[in-house]
Amino acid sequence: MQDAFSSPEHQRRHRPPYDPLHPPPHPSPHHTSPSHLTYPWQPQPQPAEPERRRQPRHHALGRHSDLRVLRGAYRRQRRVATLTALGYFTLFLLLSAFAPGLMASEVSGGLPTGLLLGLLQVPVTCLAIGLYEYTARRSVDPIADRIRRQTQLDAKREATR
């Protein structure tokens, strides 16, 4: 017959939690701990030496200074082209709204100033597109080509390792 203290339920509830770093003392008074761990499930001491990894010679592309230069050149390129086209259109709208007398005046041969400025929107937009392509060829493309070549070289170096 089992009493209440020898039941498996009581032993499970009142058992101290297992701590692998501080195991319970061995019941034998003459026991000396071995210099090595005798149980495979106990944690093995690991050397504190950090894992050595080969550092890349170049920084990651997200931090690369050429990428920052490329982003800046591309940003300037977009701003110049956008402000050229939208700036002219905004000027046309402001003159239409706030200077209707000027827009209704005739330039020559019965051609009103407003119609002339409206027709000039097409060549100004073409000028903005040409300016965009010119700045791309002059400042953005050389930087992008240099980054592309460097990336291809880095990929070839990594493939040979």
Side-chain angles (χ1 to χ4, degrees):
M1 184 158 168
Q2 289 185 342
D3 61 344
F5 296 111
S6 63
S7 72
E9 179 67 27
H10 178 268
Q11 289 176 357
R12 187 170 37 84
R13 259 190 271 143
H14 296 288
R15 183 180 314 148
Y18 176 71
D19 184 7
L21 297 177
H22 304 287
H26 198 284
S28 169
H30 303 291
H31 178 267
T32 59
S33 64
S35 61
H36 63 280
L37 296 174
T38 57
Y39 301 107
W41 58 84
Q42 287 182 325
Q44 300 293 323
Q46 297 294 327
E49 185 176 321
E51 181 180 318
R52 290 185 158 194
R53 300 176 83 187
R54 198 178 339 180
Q55 297 295 325
R57 289 177 43 191
H58 303 286
H59 295 292
L61 279 178
R63 297 183 188 166
H64 203 277
S65 64
D66 282 345
L67 275 183
R68 283 195 299 270
V69 171
L70 177 66
R71 282 192 297 262
Y74 184 59
R75 191 178 307 120
R76 280 188 302 276
Q77 176 193 22
R78 285 185 319 222
R79 286 180 185 160
V80 167
T82 303
L83 290 176
T84 302
L86 287 179
Y88 183 82
F89 184 68
T90 305
L91 176 68
F92 175 75
L93 289 179
L94 289 173
L95 287 174
S96 298
F98 296 110
L102 174 69
M103 297 298 269
S105 66
E106 292 184 7
V107 177
S108 67
L111 182 66
T113 308
L115 182 60
L116 179 65
L117 291 177
L119 291 173
L120 282 177
Q121 181 67 44
V122 174
V124 168
T125 303
C126 291
L127 175 73
I129 292 170
L131 186 64
Y132 187 88
E133 289 178 358
Y134 173 75
T135 57
R137 273 188 251 109
R138 188 175 57 93
S139 63
V140 176
D141 289 347
I143 300 169
D145 290 338
R146 187 171 61 232
I147 292 172
R148 189 177 300 115
R149 282 193 306 272
Q150 184 64 44
T151 304
Q152 288 171 349
L153 285 173
D154 289 346
K156 286 180 185 176
R157 285 187 195 126
E158 288 296 319
T160 59
R161 288 183 188 177

